[in-house]
Amino acid sequence: MSYAGDLTPHEAWKLLEETPEALLVDVRTEAEWRFVGVPDASSLGRQAALIEWASYPSMTPNPDFVAQLQATGARPGQPIVFLCRSGQRSIGAAVAATAAGLGPAYNVLEGFEGTTDEHGHRGWQGWKGAGLPWQQG
């Protein structure tokens, strides 16, 4: 595996609770942050870093992703937890961070909203579905 591994939403929250230097990074798009919401780590004394992995609507990869991650203060040896909509883009982010010598880098399984249900709706899985703190963007 080219990154530290996958965590369930609850495992990710536990890592953030137990490791004050751990960084939570939401790699979804600005539109997703604004209209769907963002994870809320304020009870832990911090907030998620918001860095697009790809930009909407073209979903063109962000060429400055690693530099923007480094600008948050991310450093080698610091756990970084990556979150996207369903746990796919965050894998790419974790791989890129690891390749840049940052992390250990983790992917949150099911992301912020998870997959769609039988009615085509999201939010029953992932960070939101697990009942973890979030706020409307």
Side-chain angles (χ1 to χ4, degrees):
M1 186 173 293
S2 55
Y3 59 98
D6 299 313
L7 302 172
T8 67
H10 283 293
E11 289 170 337
W13 183 257
K14 184 176 180 182
L15 174 67
L16 293 165
E17 280 183 314
E18 295 177 353
T19 314
E21 69 274 12
L23 176 63
L24 176 61
V25 181
D26 187 330
V27 301
R28 294 174 299 143
T29 65
E30 183 177 346
E32 289 170 300
W33 303 325
R34 187 177 307 154
F35 298 111
V36 180
V38 294
D40 181 4
S42 62
S43 66
L44 304 177
R46 56 194 187 265
Q47 286 299 332
L50 306 177
I51 307 170
E52 289 185 327
W53 175 248
S55 298
Y56 181 83
S58 67
M59 298 312 285
T60 303
N62 176 359
D64 300 319
F65 179 79
V66 170
Q68 291 170 353
L69 180 59
Q70 291 169 323
T72 70
R75 63 190 188 290
Q78 175 186 28
I80 307 171
V81 176
F82 290 100
L83 178 76
C84 68
R85 181 184 67 195
S86 61
Q88 296 304 306
R89 284 174 279 174
S90 47
I91 291 172
V95 169
T98 300
L102 302 172
Y106 299 93
N107 168 56
V108 177
L109 295 168
E110 301 175 356
F112 191 67
E113 299 178 275
T115 60
T116 55
D117 65 14
E118 65 275 7
H119 304 290
H121 300 136
R122 294 184 189 275
W124 64 282
Q125 288 182 316
W127 190 274
K128 287 174 95 173
L132 294 173
W134 67 281
Q135 61 188 359
Q136 196 63 46

PDB file of all heavy atoms in Angstrom, residues 16 20 33-35 44 58-59 73 76 84 108 110 135:
ATOM      1  N   LEU A  16      -7.931  11.338  15.702  1.00  0.00           N
ATOM      2  CA  LEU A  16      -7.896  12.787  15.896  1.00  0.00           C
ATOM      3  C   LEU A  16      -8.019  13.146  17.379  1.00  0.00           C
ATOM      4  O   LEU A  16      -7.345  14.061  17.855  1.00  0.00           O
ATOM      5  CB  LEU A  16      -9.003  13.456  15.085  1.00  0.00           C
ATOM      6  CG  LEU A  16      -8.841  13.375  13.568  1.00  0.00           C
ATOM      7  CD1 LEU A  16     -10.142  13.736  12.871  1.00  0.00           C
ATOM      8  CD2 LEU A  16      -7.694  14.248  13.091  1.00  0.00           C
ATOM      9  N   PRO A  20      -3.262  14.886  19.259  1.00  0.00           N
ATOM     10  CA  PRO A  20      -3.524  16.320  19.053  1.00  0.00           C
ATOM     11  C   PRO A  20      -2.844  16.930  17.833  1.00  0.00           C
ATOM     12  O   PRO A  20      -3.359  17.886  17.266  1.00  0.00           O
ATOM     13  CB  PRO A  20      -3.000  16.966  20.342  1.00  0.00           C
ATOM     14  CG  PRO A  20      -3.028  15.869  21.350  1.00  0.00           C
ATOM     15  CD  PRO A  20      -2.764  14.597  20.591  1.00  0.00           C
ATOM     16  N   TRP A  33     -18.059  21.677   0.036  1.00  0.00           N
ATOM     17  CA  TRP A  33     -17.936  22.252   1.381  1.00  0.00           C
ATOM     18  C   TRP A  33     -19.097  23.200   1.657  1.00  0.00           C
ATOM     19  O   TRP A  33     -19.693  23.177   2.724  1.00  0.00           O
ATOM     20  CB  TRP A  33     -16.623  23.011   1.538  1.00  0.00           C
ATOM     21  CG  TRP A  33     -15.383  22.225   1.282  1.00  0.00           C
ATOM     22  CD1 TRP A  33     -15.166  20.902   1.561  1.00  0.00           C
ATOM     23  CD2 TRP A  33     -14.178  22.703   0.688  1.00  0.00           C
ATOM     24  NE1 TRP A  33     -13.898  20.544   1.180  1.00  0.00           N
ATOM     25  CE2 TRP A  33     -13.266  21.628   0.644  1.00  0.00           C
ATOM     26  CE3 TRP A  33     -13.777  23.946   0.195  1.00  0.00           C
ATOM     27  CZ2 TRP A  33     -11.983  21.762   0.132  1.00  0.00           C
ATOM     28  CZ3 TRP A  33     -12.495  24.074  -0.323  1.00  0.00           C
ATOM     29  CH2 TRP A  33     -11.611  22.997  -0.351  1.00  0.00           C
ATOM     30  N   ARG A  34     -19.394  24.020   0.678  1.00  0.00           N
ATOM     31  CA  ARG A  34     -20.410  25.053   0.843  1.00  0.00           C
ATOM     32  C   ARG A  34     -21.820  24.483   0.941  1.00  0.00           C
ATOM     33  O   ARG A  34     -22.612  24.906   1.777  1.00  0.00           O
ATOM     34  CB  ARG A  34     -20.331  26.048  -0.319  1.00  0.00           C
ATOM     35  CG  ARG A  34     -21.239  27.240  -0.122  1.00  0.00           C
ATOM     36  CD  ARG A  34     -21.121  28.262  -1.217  1.00  0.00           C
ATOM     37  NE  ARG A  34     -19.727  28.649  -1.407  1.00  0.00           N
ATOM     38  CZ  ARG A  34     -19.230  29.112  -2.540  1.00  0.00           C
ATOM     39  NH1 ARG A  34     -19.998  29.244  -3.599  1.00  0.00           N
ATOM     40  NH2 ARG A  34     -17.969  29.448  -2.640  1.00  0.00           N
ATOM     41  N   PHE A  35     -22.144  23.525   0.080  1.00  0.00           N
ATOM     42  CA  PHE A  35     -23.520  23.056  -0.017  1.00  0.00           C
ATOM     43  C   PHE A  35     -23.825  21.761   0.733  1.00  0.00           C
ATOM     44  O   PHE A  35     -24.983  21.483   1.022  1.00  0.00           O
ATOM     45  CB  PHE A  35     -23.919  22.914  -1.491  1.00  0.00           C
ATOM     46  CG  PHE A  35     -23.876  24.228  -2.219  1.00  0.00           C
ATOM     47  CD1 PHE A  35     -22.918  24.460  -3.183  1.00  0.00           C
ATOM     48  CD2 PHE A  35     -24.768  25.248  -1.904  1.00  0.00           C
ATOM     49  CE1 PHE A  35     -22.857  25.689  -3.851  1.00  0.00           C
ATOM     50  CE2 PHE A  35     -24.721  26.469  -2.557  1.00  0.00           C
ATOM     51  CZ  PHE A  35     -23.763  26.691  -3.533  1.00  0.00           C
ATOM     52  N   LEU A  44     -12.252  19.421  19.358  1.00  0.00           N
ATOM     53  CA  LEU A  44     -10.873  18.979  19.551  1.00  0.00           C
ATOM     54  C   LEU A  44      -9.902  20.150  19.510  1.00  0.00           C
ATOM     55  O   LEU A  44      -8.688  19.957  19.540  1.00  0.00           O
ATOM     56  CB  LEU A  44     -10.491  17.956  18.473  1.00  0.00           C
ATOM     57  CG  LEU A  44     -11.393  16.727  18.357  1.00  0.00           C
ATOM     58  CD1 LEU A  44     -10.937  15.847  17.202  1.00  0.00           C
ATOM     59  CD2 LEU A  44     -11.421  15.947  19.655  1.00  0.00           C
ATOM     60  N   SER A  58     -14.762  20.746 -13.789  1.00  0.00           N
ATOM     61  CA  SER A  58     -13.932  19.923 -14.683  1.00  0.00           C
ATOM     62  C   SER A  58     -13.288  18.749 -13.954  1.00  0.00           C
ATOM     63  O   SER A  58     -12.868  17.793 -14.594  1.00  0.00           O
ATOM     64  CB  SER A  58     -12.833  20.787 -15.305  1.00  0.00           C
ATOM     65  OG  SER A  58     -11.923  21.203 -14.295  1.00  0.00           O
ATOM     66  N   MET A  59     -13.193  18.836 -12.642  1.00  0.00           N
ATOM     67  CA  MET A  59     -12.503  17.858 -11.802  1.00  0.00           C
ATOM     68  C   MET A  59     -11.038  17.694 -12.229  1.00  0.00           C
ATOM     69  O   MET A  59     -10.449  16.629 -12.140  1.00  0.00           O
ATOM     70  CB  MET A  59     -13.243  16.521 -11.766  1.00  0.00           C
ATOM     71  CG  MET A  59     -14.641  16.645 -11.164  1.00  0.00           C
ATOM     72  SD  MET A  59     -14.737  17.558  -9.590  1.00  0.00           S
ATOM     73  CE  MET A  59     -14.087  16.363  -8.450  1.00  0.00           C
ATOM     74  N   GLY A  73       1.154  23.426   7.477  1.00  0.00           N
ATOM     75  CA  GLY A  73       2.111  23.028   8.506  1.00  0.00           C
ATOM     76  C   GLY A  73       2.319  21.531   8.556  1.00  0.00           C
ATOM     77  O   GLY A  73       3.033  21.036   9.424  1.00  0.00           O
ATOM     78  N   PRO A  76       6.526  15.612   8.013  1.00  0.00           N
ATOM     79  CA  PRO A  76       6.794  14.175   8.162  1.00  0.00           C
ATOM     80  C   PRO A  76       6.572  13.751   9.614  1.00  0.00           C
ATOM     81  O   PRO A  76       6.903  14.490  10.549  1.00  0.00           O
ATOM     82  CB  PRO A  76       8.265  14.042   7.773  1.00  0.00           C
ATOM     83  CG  PRO A  76       8.534  15.214   6.883  1.00  0.00           C
ATOM     84  CD  PRO A  76       7.674  16.324   7.446  1.00  0.00           C
ATOM     85  N   CYS A  84     -12.933  12.643   1.671  1.00  0.00           N
ATOM     86  CA  CYS A  84     -13.598  13.181   0.484  1.00  0.00           C
ATOM     87  C   CYS A  84     -15.070  12.803   0.561  1.00  0.00           C
ATOM     88  O   CYS A  84     -15.582  12.547   1.651  1.00  0.00           O
ATOM     89  CB  CYS A  84     -12.934  12.692  -0.798  1.00  0.00           C
ATOM     90  SG  CYS A  84     -13.124  10.923  -1.112  1.00  0.00           S
ATOM     91  N   VAL A 108     -10.169   8.043   4.848  1.00  0.00           N
ATOM     92  CA  VAL A 108     -11.378   7.715   5.588  1.00  0.00           C
ATOM     93  C   VAL A 108     -12.329   6.956   4.666  1.00  0.00           C
ATOM     94  O   VAL A 108     -12.793   7.498   3.653  1.00  0.00           O
ATOM     95  CB  VAL A 108     -12.072   8.977   6.157  1.00  0.00           C
ATOM     96  CG1 VAL A 108     -13.370   8.596   6.860  1.00  0.00           C
ATOM     97  CG2 VAL A 108     -11.134   9.715   7.103  1.00  0.00           C
ATOM     98  N   GLU A 110     -15.573   5.459   3.164  1.00  0.00           N
ATOM     99  CA  GLU A 110     -16.916   6.006   2.978  1.00  0.00           C
ATOM    100  C   GLU A 110     -16.951   7.526   2.944  1.00  0.00           C
ATOM    101  O   GLU A 110     -17.996   8.112   2.706  1.00  0.00           O
ATOM    102  CB  GLU A 110     -17.897   5.499   4.041  1.00  0.00           C
ATOM    103  CG  GLU A 110     -18.046   4.002   4.086  1.00  0.00           C
ATOM    104  CD  GLU A 110     -18.919   3.519   5.217  1.00  0.00           C
ATOM    105  OE1 GLU A 110     -19.379   4.331   6.059  1.00  0.00           O
ATOM    106  OE2 GLU A 110     -19.161   2.298   5.273  1.00  0.00           O
ATOM    107  N   GLN A 135     -20.680  20.593  10.237  1.00  0.00           N
ATOM    108  CA  GLN A 135     -21.455  21.832  10.164  1.00  0.00           C
ATOM    109  C   GLN A 135     -21.747  22.174   8.726  1.00  0.00           C
ATOM    110  O   GLN A 135     -21.007  21.776   7.831  1.00  0.00           O
ATOM    111  CB  GLN A 135     -20.728  22.977  10.861  1.00  0.00           C
ATOM    112  CG  GLN A 135     -19.374  23.310  10.247  1.00  0.00           C
ATOM    113  CD  GLN A 135     -18.594  24.309  11.071  1.00  0.00           C
ATOM    114  OE1 GLN A 135     -19.050  24.792  12.096  1.00  0.00           O
ATOM    115  NE2 GLN A 135     -17.403  24.625  10.624  1.00  0.00           N
TER     116      GLN A 135
END
